[in-house]
Amino acid sequence: MADRVKPMGMDRALISKMGAKYDSGLEYEVRGWIKALIGEDIGEGPSNVEKSLRDGVILCTLMKKVIEGTPSESLPAACSKTDLKPSSSELPFKQMENIEKFLKAAHKYGVPNTSLFQTVELYEARNLPMVLATISHVGTEAQRLNFNGETIGSKPTVKHDVNFSYEQLKQSCGLIGLQSGTNKFASQKGMRIGAVRHIADIRADKFDKESEGQISLQSGTNKFASQKGMTSMGAVRHICDIRADQYDPESNKEINLQSGTNKFDSQCGMRGFGAIRHISDVKVNELDREGSAVLRPDMGYSGGDSQKGMTCFGAQRHVTNIKTTDLAEEWAEKYGKPTTPRVQQQEEIPEEDNE
């Protein structure tokens, strides 16, 4: 058989990773079990275990001993026709055939395929932890089949069938599983819609009637400053205890500085809305009537150009100060007409007719 190339790269990393799973405790159990059944010592450590089990002779002898020690009523029927006679040849393929015989016999005995190691994993020492796990699983199946001797491995699982009666199944209708919740602990039993749930068991008839006039600190309190004594909505709350009948009536004319004051300049003496407020104390009866026709410069000025003498709206405003009477005299001198205005002439004509 040709020599296999040593693992490199990722293969080497995977083999070293599987080697890290080697369990010395499981090795101790397997080594003790083999020595107790067939009297062979496989040595200590991965290298000694691989050299002792590599030819498959010890494995076939161990499996034959286990099948022979299992009661016939528990032994699987396929195990009766199993060939476990090992070959003592040193040829590689003969040694690998011995390993194959052990694997087939272990599968017939009840070990699943997922728990069996491959031949190369033992022959080339690729996965020794899996080899020990397979031998341990054989010991677990030996416990299941009532092997008459020492066993190793974990305790086998046993199928447990339970048949419930109709009454037992009916009782489960009133229970809620923990996955959906439970009704075995604190609940709302006895609660009415909107009623308060009491933390302690307090009956309503045990309450003191006087406590109904008190408000606990958790909800507030009515033991301190309040609106007691207020006469109407919106009334002023007095900071100090002052009775209304103790006020001085003269104080009604005064306004404190918080709300304003009436001690300084005010609109007292104003006659109507929009009237001018006098900065100085000037009475109306002291004004000169001639000053009514004069406008101050700050309010306008009537001493210059104005519309005085205009006869109607839209008439031309003369820039210079020309009186109408002067124009009439100039017109009469030029055209020989009387200077009397037209309105006076119309009034005098009817008087001549009457005469």
Side-chain angles (χ1 to χ4, degrees), residues 18-254:
M18 287 187 293
K21 298 180 181 179
Y22 191 85
D23 189 359
S24 300
L26 182 58
E27 176 199 327
Y28 179 79
E29 292 181 5
V30 172
R31 182 158 53 91
W33 189 46
I34 294 175
K35 189 174 182 179
L37 292 183
I38 61 177
E40 295 286 344
D41 189 9
I42 61 176
E44 183 178 359
S47 59
N48 294 329
V49 172
E50 185 263 331
K51 291 177 181 179
S52 301
L53 302 180
R54 188 169 183 267
D55 56 359
V57 176
I58 295 178
L59 293 178
C60 291
T61 306
L62 174 65
M63 196 65 217
K64 184 178 180 180
K65 186 69 176 181
V66 171
I67 293 176
E68 291 177 354
T70 303
S72 58
E73 59 272 8
S74 301
L75 185 66
C79 293
S80 59
K81 299 179 180 180
T82 303
D83 182 15
L84 288 173
K85 185 178 180 180
S87 175
S88 58
S89 176
E90 296 182 357
L91 296 176
F93 70 92
K94 287 293 183 179
Q95 294 178 355
M96 297 179 69
E97 285 181 358
N98 293 336
I99 298 175
E100 286 289 340
K101 290 179 181 180
F102 166 78
L103 294 175
K104 290 180 180 179
H107 180 63
K108 293 179 181 180
Y109 194 72
V111 180
N113 290 326
T114 55
S115 298
L116 297 175
F117 63 89
Q118 296 181 4
T119 304
V120 293
E121 290 179 344
L122 173 58
Y123 193 79
E124 297 180 0
R126 292 187 176 185
N127 194 357
L128 292 179
M130 190 63 184
V131 176
L132 298 178
T134 301
I135 298 173
S136 177
H137 205 144
V138 172
T140 300
E141 294 298 326
Q143 298 178 39
R144 189 194 307 276
L145 300 177
N146 301 321
F147 173 68
N148 297 327
E150 186 177 353
T151 59
I152 62 172
S154 59
K155 186 177 180 179
T157 57
V158 180
K159 186 178 181 181
H160 182 64
D161 295 332
V162 180
N163 296 323
F164 294 99
S165 62
Y166 178 77
E167 289 75 12
Q168 292 175 335
L169 296 175
K170 197 68 176 178
Q171 291 177 0
S172 63
C173 296
L175 300 176
I176 301 175
L178 292 178
Q179 293 180 349
S180 303
T182 179
N183 58 354
K184 290 297 184 181
F185 305 104
S187 64
Q188 294 181 351
K189 183 178 180 180
M191 298 294 290
R192 293 180 295 175
I193 301 298
V196 180
R197 180 176 178 182
H198 302 288
I199 300 175
D201 295 333
I202 303 175
R203 295 179 58 182
D205 53 359
K206 293 183 180 180
F207 281 110
D208 186 5
K209 294 293 184 180
E210 296 181 358
S211 64
E212 295 180 356
Q214 299 178 358
I215 301 175
S216 61
L217 293 177
Q218 292 180 349
S219 303
T221 180
N222 58 354
K223 291 298 183 182
F224 305 105
S226 65
Q227 294 181 351
K228 184 179 180 180
M230 301 298 287
T231 56
S232 61
M233 297 292 179
V236 180
R237 180 176 178 181
H238 302 289
I239 300 177
C240 57
D241 296 333
I242 302 175
R243 296 178 58 183
D245 54 359
Q246 295 177 353
Y247 280 108
D248 186 4
E250 295 182 0
S251 64
N252 294 332
K253 301 177 182 180
E254 297 180 359

